[in-house]
């Protein structure tokens, strides 16, 4: 027997949307089915986010169809009846007329109470606007299908290095080719890798994004050329592949959309390629953009090594295959390979497995938790707004009980009165919804303006049909949600009481007051949940900002250099250039030290490769230990203030011709050596050096640098001297220069540009930025989510405060008479004040308690967004509850003061 | 009321057709039907609970399928699960639909069109 979980219970609860008979008959089976789907997700290790989206869409769609069915039948029946000349009680015309009458009447009453209407409409508008803008983002980023035909059949292949904590890493050529040949689960498979290249000839030299892609990739992704053709499988081979396909954007930009471009040539890295085609607009490699497509052009028969991981591989599932069946096939493939290719750095199930990820999970999986948090938060804001407006309506309904009583006395039935009141709610909702949609599109623009880099497809966000439909449906639902309780309540009038007691129906009044108080407590609880949520994010952000990146960012700037391959053919050329730049910048006034680093921490992602460790290599894991691989100049550690913990850093003597040395970070020392071993003096051999490189000796250990992000886990990192760099000549063509200076970074900009121009006028200075800026940029997404949630929290607090204020004022106004009598009997101002405020505080206390409980139950959804803060952080929880209590004291103080100034004479005489 | 004739129900929507095809082969519960239909349509028809049970309710009302007496197949099965079977009428309906589709597809030009879309 499986356990009933929260998720099942939530789904079961949502089934109330279906008609009761259907629910009774099938509800249990539907829950069962949902549970099966959930456990299948769990078994496949997939997130249930998509399942929830699909299930909710299914629920809303089918429930509304079923709810509408009788109505539609009736409408059809009406048409038939009229045809026969029969007059049915459901004549559409009568229904319409009554509805119009209700709407006219609603508009008139709302116009009479402009203040009330304005507050209600504004509250709803703000909440709808927030929901509408967040939905715009979710719609564009998550719900809109990926721009590939049948995108749900696309799967990404990654390799993994569990020892180094790497779960998705590019695939090697041999792995890609063999898997493509052997797999039967895929209809076709393609590979690509994005890099930068310099384009020369006809126009200024320019750095562009190029994608090396197998000819099969176009078929897999369903891309078609707009002009000419794509290259063929035959051209995707060494020696035959000097052909290029331009992207639509690049064609427009550099060739002004010239239709005769096909057949001409383009110079990339000094090599001439024939342009065979122009790609259609919007055709980009998944997760990247490109200006030009080039063949990968490799020959499997020439590749003996299974190392060198740099390809992203995408496959399209064959008909009849599923993700699960492909995964099962892959697992057996890896087991077979570990046997066949033993000793060749082969994939194996334990140390070097391969894995599959569905393309939409790959591209969007990272932002789903954040989006879920935001959706939850705006949902709470909307609930809060509903509770608030329901309160206002209830309070107003009290004041109108006389009017309603009169209407009832004149013969209006309960249903008729409820419908009238519900119409008023719907009119308020529609006004608020319209305003909200407008404000929402403005809010969406603001969201994009906040520029949350790292959220894919954020630029596609905008107002479109799904957003408008969502907002419209949400508006109607909102109207019903906040309208039904007041409508029901007000229509339940007791004629005798209302008409005789001078409009102050008492027993009924008490019940309404209880409902009012209950709603305020709900608002408080929701506000506390939002306050705690935003509090956790704010605290997490503060912790993140204090995280030591492992280097000193203050007073340092960095910029990137990319050398054109045509002019820099070997390492000596490059070193000569880099030395010239380093010496030149060092001579600038105010500069204290300059260093080079291949991959700037927090900006350029590291290259990951395997190394063999002397004396640790054995046949079981083939000795392959994954490391992040870096090359730096001798002054790098000093310039960045990265401490040398053991041994030494690099020196000028570590150059070509003398034995190669390496420096490792503390994580690598800790991960691959035991505590009583000193890694200094050990030797290792990088697998990425295709030459028969000598063993490399570890000479020092340095402090960890958080290369992948402030909240990322530090991985084993291996530094080599840039003068002894291994791993491909082209690799050192890109590097960052770090400058430590006592002067303002901007003041250095011009001097640095001059130095670089003097060294080579074809090399531009790019990404010039202070290291502080580099660090801050990594927090953009966290800041985005934190700011939004803080905004929602503040809004929630404001709405809740208005709620308390409204309810206390209302009760004070109703109790003027009673307070007058008390004061006439000797109660002093302090007593009255205390009594009124304590009423507010009691509600706030209850609300805060419920809110804390709700937050405890639900804050786990924030887990993925938090760093260094427990989801049950005591201080944040207390602060959330505390803020609410303080605000509610303040909010009830105003009406309390008014009450304490009641003049007994006046209040008693008003009878 | 005259008894329903199979032809009255044609043509069937793709999802309905696949559900009947699946049930013609074996008695199944809701999630089983969803999975089988998903498999047969290469994942293109994904039936969520609401869509599925709304369809089940309609098909039961039309007498095309019925609840099976059996509620448990093996140790793993949950006795709360409802199993469905196809009725005689349902079998006639799905057979008629299958015949209609085969008849439609059984010409050279249709096969050529299908071939063109695949290549």
């Amino acid at each position: 027997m499986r356990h009933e979980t929260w998720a099942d219970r939530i789904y079961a609860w949502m089934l109330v949307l279906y008609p009761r008979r259907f629910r009774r008959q099938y509800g249990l089976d539907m829950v069962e089915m949902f549970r099966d789907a959930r456990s299948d997700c769990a078994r496949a290790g997939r997130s249930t986010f998509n399942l929830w989206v699909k299930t909710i869409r299914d629920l809303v769609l089918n429930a509304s169809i079923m709810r509408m069915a009788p109505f539609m039948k009736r409408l059809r029946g009406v048409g038939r009846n009229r045809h026969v000349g029969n007059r049915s009680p459901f004549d559409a015309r009568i229904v319409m007329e009554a509805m119009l009458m209700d709407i006219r009447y609603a508009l008139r009453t709302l116009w009479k109470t402009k203040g009330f209407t304005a507050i209600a409409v504004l509250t709803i508008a703000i909440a709808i606007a927030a929901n509408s803008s967040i939905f715009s983002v979710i719609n564009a980023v998550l719900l809109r299908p990926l721009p590939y035909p049948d995108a749900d059949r696309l799967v990404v292949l990654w390799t993994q290095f569990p020892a180094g904590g790497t779960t998705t890493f590019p695939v090697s050529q041999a792995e890609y080719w063999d898997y493509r040949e052997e797999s039967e689960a895929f209809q076709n498979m393609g590979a690509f890798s994005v890099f930068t290249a310099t384009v020369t000839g006809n126009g200024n030299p320019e750095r562009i994004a190029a994608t090396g892609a197998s000819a099969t990739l176009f078929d897999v992704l369903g891309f078609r050329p707009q002009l000419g053709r794509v290259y063929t499988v035959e051209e995707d081979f060494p020696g035959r592949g000097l052909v290029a396909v331009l992207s639509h954007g690049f064609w427009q930009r550099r060739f002004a959309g010239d239709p005769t471009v096909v057949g001409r040539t383009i110079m990339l890295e000094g090599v001439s390629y024939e342009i065979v085609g122009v790609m259609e607009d919007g055709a980009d490699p998944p997760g990247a953009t490109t200006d030009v497509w080039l063949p990968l052009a490799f020959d499997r028969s020439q590749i003996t090594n299974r190392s060198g991981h740099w390809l992203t591989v995408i496959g399209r599932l064959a008909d009849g295959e599923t993700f699960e069946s492909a995964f099962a096939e892959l697992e057996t493939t890896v087991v077979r390979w570990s046997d066949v290719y033993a000793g060749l750095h082969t994939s194996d199930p334990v140390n070097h497995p391969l894995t599959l990820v569905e393309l939409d999970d790959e591209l969007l999986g990272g932002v789903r938790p954040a989006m879920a948090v935001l959706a939850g938060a705006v949902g709470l804001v909307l609930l809060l707004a509903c509770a608030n407006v329901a309160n206002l309506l209830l309070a107003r309904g009290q004041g109108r009980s006389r009017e309603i009583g009169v209407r009832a006395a004149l013969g209006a039935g309960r249903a008729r009165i409820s419908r009238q009141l519900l119409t008023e709610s719907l009119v308020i909702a529609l006004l608020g919804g319209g305003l909200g949609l407008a404000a929402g599109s403005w809010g969406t623009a603001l969201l994009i303006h906040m520029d949350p880099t790292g959220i894919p497809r954020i630029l596609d966000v905008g107002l479109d049909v799904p957003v408008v439909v969502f907002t419209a449906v949400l508006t109607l639902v909102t109207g019903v949600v906040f309208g039904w309780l007041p409508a029901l309540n007000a229509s339940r009038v007791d004629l005798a009481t209302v008409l005789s007691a001078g409009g102050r129906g008492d027993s009924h009044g008490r019940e309404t007051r209880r409902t009012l108080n209950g709603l305020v407590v709900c608002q408080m609880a929701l506000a506390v949940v939002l306050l705690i949520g935003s509090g956790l994010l704010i605290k997490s952000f503060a912790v993140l900002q204090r995280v030591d990146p492992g280097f000193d960012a203050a007073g340092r700037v960095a910029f990137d250099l990319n050398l054109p391959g045509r002019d820099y053919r070997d390492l000596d050329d490059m070193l000569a250039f880099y030395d010239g730049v380093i010496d030149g910048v060092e001579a600038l006034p105010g500069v204290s030290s300059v260093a080079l680093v291949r991959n700037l921490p927090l900006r350029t992602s590291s290259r990951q490769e395997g190394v063999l460790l002397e004396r640790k290599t054995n046949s079981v894991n083939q000795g392959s230990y994954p490391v992040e691989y870096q090359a730096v100049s001798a002054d790098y550690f000093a310039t960045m203030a990265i401490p040398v913990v053991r041994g030494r850093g690099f020196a000028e003597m570590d150059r070509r011709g003398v034995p190669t040395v390496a420096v490792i970070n503390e994580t690598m020392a800790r991960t691959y050596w035991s505590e009583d071993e000193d890694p200094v003096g050990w030797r290792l051999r990088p697998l990425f050096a295709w030459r028969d490189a000598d063993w490399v000796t570890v000479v020092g250990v340095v402090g960890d640098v958080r290369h992948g992000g402030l909240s990322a886990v530090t991985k084993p990192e291996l530094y080599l001297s840039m003068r002894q760099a291994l791993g491909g000549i082209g690799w050192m063509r890109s590097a960052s220069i770090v400058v430590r200076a006592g002067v303002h970074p901007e003041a250095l900009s011009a001097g640095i540009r001059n130095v670089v121009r003097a060294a080579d006028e074809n090399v531009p200075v790019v990404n010039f930025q202070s290291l502080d800026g580099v660090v801050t940029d990594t927090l953009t997404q966290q800041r985005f989510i934190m700011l939004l949630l803080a905004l929602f929290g503040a809004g929630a607090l404001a709405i809740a405060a208005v709620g308390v204020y409204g309810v206390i004022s209302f009760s004070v106004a109703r109790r003027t008479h009673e307070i007058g009598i008390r004061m006439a009997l000797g109660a002093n101002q302090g007593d009255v004040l205390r009594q009124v405020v304590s009423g507010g505080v009691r509600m706030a206390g209850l609300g805060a308690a419920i809110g804390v409980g709700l937050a405890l139950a639900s804050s786990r959804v924030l887990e993925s967004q938090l760093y260094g803060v427990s989801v049950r952080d005591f201080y944040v929880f207390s602060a959330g509850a505390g803020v609410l209590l303080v605000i509610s004291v303040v909010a009830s103080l105003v009406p309390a003061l008014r009450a304490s100034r009641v003049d007994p004479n006046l209040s008693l005489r008003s009878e | 009321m005259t008894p329903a004739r199979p032809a009255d129900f044609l043509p069937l929507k793709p999802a309905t057709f696949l559900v009947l095809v699946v049930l013609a082969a074996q008695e199944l519960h809701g999630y089983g039907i969803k999975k089988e239909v998903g498999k047969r349509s290469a994942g293109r028809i994904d039936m969520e609970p609401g869509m599925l049970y709304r369809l089940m309710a309609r098909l039961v009302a039309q007498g095309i399928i019925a609840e099976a007496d059996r509620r448990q197949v093996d140790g793993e099965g949950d006795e709360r699960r409802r199993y469905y079977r196809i009725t005689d009428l349902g079998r006639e309906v799905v057979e008629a639909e299958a015949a209609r589709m085969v008849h439609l597809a059984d010409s050279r030009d249709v096969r050529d069109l299908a071939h063109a879309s695949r290549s």
Side-chain angles (χ1 to χ4, degrees):
Chain A
M1 192 86 238
R2 277 165 296 179
H3 293 290
E4 180 141 292
T5 63
W6 272 98
D8 298 333
R9 251 174 266 165
I10 290 173
Y11 180 62
W13 181 79
M14 292 195 305
L15 291 179
V16 296
L17 289 178
Y18 285 104
R20 189 181 304 158
R21 255 179 67 191
F22 180 77
R23 188 170 71 235
R24 287 218 175 121
Q25 179 123 30
Y26 296 108
L28 282 177
D29 296 72
M30 291 169 74
V31 173
E32 191 73 24
M33 184 168 165
F34 175 70
R35 184 186 307 180
D36 283 336
R38 256 186 349 96
S39 47
D40 269 10
C41 268
R43 217 168 298 138
R46 269 184 290 166
S47 119
T48 54
F49 184 87
N50 272 353
L51 178 68
W52 276 107
V53 171
K54 277 195 287 191
T55 306
I56 290 174
R57 191 171 54 195
D58 168 75
L59 178 83
V60 171
L61 194 73
N62 286 290
S64 25
I65 292 177
M66 297 191 79
R67 291 280 185 186
M68 292 288 284
F71 187 68
M72 299 304 284
K73 207 186 260 170
R74 204 179 284 165
L75 274 188
R76 275 200 297 274
V78 168
R80 218 172 292 139
N81 283 346
R82 185 177 297 156
H83 194 67
V84 191
N86 244 347
R87 226 184 128 86
S88 110
F90 296 113
D91 191 317
R93 223 171 9 170
I94 292 184
V95 174
M96 281 302 281
E97 268 166 23
M99 220 156 80
L100 279 178
M101 211 160 73
D102 280 352
I103 292 175
R104 265 199 304 273
Y105 185 75
L107 284 173
R108 224 167 33 232
T109 18
L110 290 176
W111 184 250
K112 267 191 286 184
T113 49
K114 289 188 207 70
F116 158 82
T117 309
I119 291 180
V121 167
L122 270 182
T123 311
I124 293 299
I126 291 170
I128 295 265
N131 277 273
S132 173
S133 8
I134 293 295
F135 179 78
S136 305
V137 175
I138 291 180
N139 178 48
V141 173
L142 293 182
L143 302 183
R144 218 177 273 166
L146 295 172
Y148 319 106
D150 293 324
D152 54 338
R153 308 287 294 160
L154 295 176
V155 174
V156 188
L157 173 75
W158 292 120
T159 183
Q160 300 185 311
F161 294 102
T166 305
T167 52
T168 55
F169 200 71
V171 173
S172 73
Q173 292 172 338
E175 285 163 350
Y176 156 62
W177 193 273
D178 294 348
Y179 185 47
R180 191 168 108 75
E181 292 295 300
E182 292 172 28
S183 170
E184 289 179 351
F186 289 90
Q187 182 188 320
N188 203 347
M189 208 178 284
F192 72 93
S193 177
V194 182
F195 54 98
T196 57
T198 307
V199 54
T200 49
N202 50 32
N204 291 325
E206 186 185 355
R207 290 297 286 182
I208 60 167
T211 299
S214 69
T216 50
L217 188 72
F218 302 116
D219 175 50
V220 170
L221 295 179
F223 287 169
R224 294 186 204 298
Q226 177 180 348
L227 273 184
R229 59 178 179 89
V230 297
Y231 43 84
T232 61
V233 174
E234 288 70 36
E235 284 167 323
D236 187 8
F237 197 83
R240 303 179 205 153
L242 292 179
V243 288
V245 174
L246 307 183
S247 80
H248 181 87
F250 183 63
W251 173 58
Q252 292 288 339
R253 193 172 79 232
R254 186 147 181 122
F255 294 92
D258 180 357
T260 67
V261 75
V262 173
R264 284 164 45 189
T265 57
I266 180 173
M267 292 287 281
L268 290 167
E269 298 291 319
V271 179
S272 165
Y273 290 82
E274 184 195 347
I275 299 170
V276 295
V278 174
M279 196 49 84
E280 61 195 338
D281 195 13
D284 273 313
T289 56
T290 194
D291 293 314
V292 55
W293 301 82
L294 306 172
L296 279 176
F298 66 84
D299 177 0
R300 175 69 183 94
S301 65
Q302 298 300 308
I303 296 168
T304 51
N305 194 349
R306 300 190 74 77
S307 179
H309 297 84
W310 53 279
L311 292 174
T312 306
V313 174
I314 296 185
R316 181 175 286 281
L317 290 171
D319 282 346
E321 296 284 346
T322 61
F323 178 77
E324 287 75 18
S325 66
F327 204 95
E329 185 205 59
L330 175 67
E331 282 178 331
T332 61
T333 306
V334 170
V335 170
R336 191 171 65 242
W337 285 358
S338 64
D339 217 26
V340 178
Y341 302 116
L344 286 172
H345 183 64
T346 177
S347 314
D348 71 79
V350 180
N351 296 299
H352 182 0
L354 294 170
T355 191
L356 296 174
V357 181
E358 282 170 298
L359 184 63
D360 67 334
D361 273 342
E362 175 60 35
L363 294 178
L364 310 173
V367 295
R368 272 185 198 135
M371 291 292 156
V373 166
L374 290 181
V378 284
L380 287 184
V381 171
L382 185 65
L383 270 181
L384 199 67
C386 283
N388 199 305
V389 175
N391 246 348
L392 288 172
L393 283 170
L394 268 175
R396 199 172 74 122
Q398 276 287 290
R400 285 170 71 184
S401 52
R402 215 184 155 85
E403 170 211 331
I404 290 166
V406 170
R407 296 185 65 189
L410 290 176
R414 265 189 72 181
R416 188 72 193 75
I417 292 176
S418 306
R419 203 165 70 209
Q420 164 60 38
L421 292 173
L422 206 54
T423 306
E424 278 178 31
S425 313
L426 282 176
V427 169
I428 293 175
L430 284 175
L431 290 173
L435 208 60
L437 188 63
S441 65
W442 177 79
T444 310
L446 192 74
L447 285 185
I448 300 172
H449 183 73
M450 284 164 77
D451 187 27
T453 41
I455 295 184
R457 304 207 277 174
I458 187 80
L459 291 176
D460 302 343
V461 173
L463 198 63
D464 56 7
V465 175
V467 174
V468 174
V469 170
F470 171 84
T471 311
V473 171
L474 195 67
T475 301
L476 288 176
V477 172
T478 305
V480 174
V481 166
F482 72 67
W484 71 269
L485 192 62
L488 217 64
N489 193 46
S491 67
R492 209 169 37 205
V493 284
D494 179 3
L495 276 188
T497 341
V498 170
L499 294 180
S500 64
R504 210 188 286 143
D506 279 321
S507 63
H508 181 53
R510 201 172 305 132
E511 199 175 306
T512 307
R513 252 200 319 278
R514 214 173 293 141
T515 318
L516 279 175
N517 293 349
L519 280 171
V520 170
V521 169
C522 287
Q523 291 181 41
M524 304 266 190
L526 293 174
V528 167
V529 173
L530 279 168
L531 279 177
I532 289 176
S534 51
L536 287 173
L537 283 172
I538 290 171
K539 183 161 180 188
S540 156
F541 190 73
V543 171
L544 262 182
Q545 273 186 317
R546 281 200 306 269
V547 164
D548 177 9
F551 58 85
D552 191 355
R556 287 152 176 93
V557 291
F559 56 93
D560 297 345
L561 296 170
N562 299 293
L563 310 182
R566 164 185 50 131
D567 301 332
Y568 295 86
R569 295 200 180 277
D570 61 31
L571 192 58
D572 287 335
D573 292 344
M574 298 176 212
L575 289 178
F577 170 79
Y578 290 137
D579 282 334
V581 170
I582 291 174
D583 291 344
V585 175
E586 227 156 25
L588 290 174
V591 171
S592 53
S593 87
V594 182
L596 174 143
V597 56
R598 174 58 182 78
N599 306 316
L600 187 69
L602 302 175
R603 184 151 80 193
T604 318
S605 63
S606 273
R607 172 169 156 169
Q608 187 154 20
E609 288 294 356
V611 295
L612 303 176
L613 295 184
E614 192 183 31
R615 285 183 282 164
K616 286 190 182 283
T617 294
N618 57 58
S619 58
V620 177
N621 60 14
Q622 299 155 6
S624 171
Y625 294 83
V627 297
E628 306 229 314
Y629 167 44
Q630 271 281 35
V632 297
S633 69
D635 292 334
Y636 177 68
F637 299 125
T639 306
M640 294 286 274
I642 298 169
V644 176
V645 185
R646 222 178 288 168
R648 65 171 178 93
F650 294 116
E652 290 301 324
M653 64 184 182
D654 298 320
R655 50 179 63 242
R656 211 101 70 87
V658 303
T660 312
V661 295
V663 171
I664 63 175
N665 71 350
E666 284 185 290
T667 297
M668 180 163 169
R670 208 173 36 242
T671 315
Y672 298 149
W673 281 273
S674 66
E675 225 162 84
D676 46 339
E677 289 172 322
D678 183 357
V680 172
W682 282 67
R683 299 200 301 163
L684 49 85
R685 173 179 277 167
L687 285 172
F688 46 86
W690 73 94
R691 292 168 277 163
D692 287 332
D694 272 337
W695 287 87
V696 174
T697 309
V698 176
V699 294
V701 179
V702 293
D704 285 339
V705 169
R706 293 187 182 258
H707 198 111
L710 292 179
S711 58
V713 179
T714 309
K715 294 180 179 162
E717 193 163 15
L718 174 76
Y719 294 90
L720 292 180
S721 161
M722 71 169 183
R723 297 178 198 290
Q724 299 178 324
L726 306 167
I729 290 172
W731 191 62
M732 282 304 288
R733 274 194 201 124
S734 301
S736 303
I737 305 288
V738 183
V739 182
R740 185 173 155 212
V743 293
H744 192 265
E746 285 308 310
L748 285 173
S749 169
I752 286 174
R753 280 171 213 277
N754 283 335
V755 168
V756 174
R757 200 174 307 124
D760 184 339
E761 60 182 7
N762 281 328
V763 177
V765 169
V766 287
N767 299 331
F768 185 92
Q769 196 182 11
S770 71
L771 275 193
D772 281 323
V774 173
V775 175
T776 315
D777 274 1
T778 64
L779 297 175
T780 318
Q781 196 185 333
Q782 281 95 336
R783 182 185 305 115
F784 176 67
I785 290 160
M786 177 199 73
L787 277 178
L788 279 183
L789 216 62
L791 204 67
F792 298 149
L797 192 63
I799 294 178
V802 171
V804 184
Y805 169 80
V807 167
I808 302 273
S809 308
F810 176 70
S811 92
V812 166
R814 291 182 47 79
R815 285 163 58 200
T816 313
H817 186 67
E818 173 208 323
I819 293 172
I821 292 178
R822 281 182 187 226
M823 292 187 75
L825 292 177
N828 61 27
Q829 286 199 351
D831 294 336
V832 174
L833 208 64
R834 219 169 8 252
Q835 200 204 352
V836 174
V837 172
S838 77
V841 171
R842 260 203 305 278
M843 278 192 279
L846 189 57
I850 296 174
V852 166
L854 282 177
L856 277 177
S858 64
S859 62
R860 223 161 45 87
V861 301
L862 273 176
E863 201 152 26
S864 62
Q865 306 298 314
L866 295 183
Y867 176 82
V869 180
S870 150
V871 291
R872 299 182 165 190
D873 187 274
F874 175 76
Y875 297 102
V876 171
F877 272 68
S878 337
V883 166
L884 184 88
L885 285 173
V886 171
I887 291 289
S888 39
V889 169
V890 173
S892 40
L893 214 53
V894 180
L897 281 173
R898 201 183 305 139
S900 69
R901 288 201 203 98
V902 164
D903 180 347
N905 279 328
L906 278 179
S907 79
L908 292 178
R909 215 177 293 146
S910 79
E911 255 312 75
Chain B
M1 205 171 133
T2 53
R5 285 168 309 157
D8 296 343
F9 298 100
L10 303 192
L12 297 177
K13 288 186 180 156
T16 314
F17 179 64
L18 282 182
V19 166
L20 294 184
V21 169
V22 164
L23 287 180
Q26 57 182 321
E27 295 179 2
L28 264 181
H29 54 77
Y31 193 60
I33 297 174
K34 171 197 160 86
K35 282 218 286 210
E36 279 298 314
V37 168
K39 215 181 287 173
R40 277 172 185 272
S41 62
R44 286 201 175 81
I45 297 182
D46 190 5
M47 306 191 87
E48 301 306 330
M51 173 183 176
L52 181 81
Y53 280 101
R54 199 160 63 78
L55 181 60
M56 293 290 115
R58 183 163 62 77
L59 294 179
V60 169
Q62 289 172 335
I64 290 178
I65 62 170
E67 280 179 34
D69 306 326
R70 159 177 77 143
R71 286 214 159 190
Q72 192 167 1
V73 262
D74 49 37
E76 262 178 63
D78 191 320
E79 59 202 295
R80 275 187 298 178
R81 278 170 203 239
R82 214 185 293 259
Y83 277 72
Y84 291 92
R85 63 176 175 80
I86 196 164
T87 62
D88 293 343
L89 172 64
R91 199 169 287 278
E92 285 176 41
V93 169
V94 69
E95 280 166 7
E97 175 72 354
R100 188 184 68 86
M101 289 170 84
V102 168
H103 179 72
L104 274 180
D106 194 20
S107 72
R108 171 186 287 253
D109 42 353
V110 172
R111 274 197 302 269
D112 287 350
L113 288 170
H115 187 71
S117 94
R118 217 173 298 141
S119 61

